[in-house]
Amino acid sequence: MSQQNNIRPFLPGASSLIEQLDTRVLVILRDGRHILGTLRSLDQFSNLVLEDVYERHISGSKYADIYLGLYIVRGDSLVVCGEVGDNETPEGLTEVELSVIQELREQTPKSEEISWDF
């Protein structure tokens, strides 16, 4: 009987995001952008309000963050939303200036780039 008390209720659809309120999340958008921020609010359409948001640009083992502040994400542009740890330095990645990321992307052949076709 005690096992039944430990089981979380199933929350369908956007309701399942309620468990991530006030936590740091990584959001990947349809256009390929990676957004990191604290989830503050959501609605039934999976529209999100994020606080202290950074847009993360990654190339190889290097990354750069751009501060965006308060950010609203429309639910129809959301691909993935998941909780991330408090560790500000991702394992295996080195933080660099955005100009370094842009140079690395210019050197990358077009065949190696990821293309999202929706």
Side-chain angles (χ1 to χ4, degrees):
M1 187 160 193
S2 63
Q3 288 180 341
Q4 290 179 348
N5 294 337
N6 293 335
I7 297 174
R8 287 184 166 172
F10 173 72
L11 298 171
S15 300
S16 63
L17 289 172
I18 291 174
E19 296 174 358
Q20 272 71 41
L21 278 175
D22 299 325
T23 62
R24 295 232 352 119
V25 292
L26 168 66
V27 176
I28 300 178
L29 303 178
R30 285 179 59 178
D31 62 3
R33 288 184 289 163
H34 292 74
I35 307 294
L36 287 160
T38 304
L39 181 61
R40 292 297 179 199
S41 183
L42 62 115
D43 66 7
Q44 70 270 26
F45 304 108
S46 297
N47 296 320
L48 309 177
V49 177
L50 302 170
E51 183 179 55
D52 295 327
V53 174
Y54 291 86
E55 182 177 356
R56 179 154 291 171
H57 295 267
I58 302 172
S59 183
S61 63
K62 298 179 178 12
Y63 77 96
D65 288 339
I66 299 173
Y67 183 72
L68 301 175
L70 188 67
Y71 207 73
I72 298 173
V73 176
R74 248 183 91 130
D76 65 350
S77 66
L78 181 69
V79 175
V80 174
C81 179
E83 190 174 346
V84 293
D86 293 331
N87 187 2
E88 289 298 320
T89 307
E91 191 174 319
L93 295 178
T94 307
E95 187 171 11
V96 296
E97 295 293 322
L98 184 60
S99 60
V100 174
I101 298 293
Q102 290 170 337
E103 289 174 12
L104 288 170
R105 287 184 176 169
E106 288 172 2
Q107 296 170 359
T108 303
K110 293 288 183 189
S111 61
E112 293 181 23
E113 288 183 359
I114 297 174
S115 175
W116 298 92
D117 186 20
F118 290 100

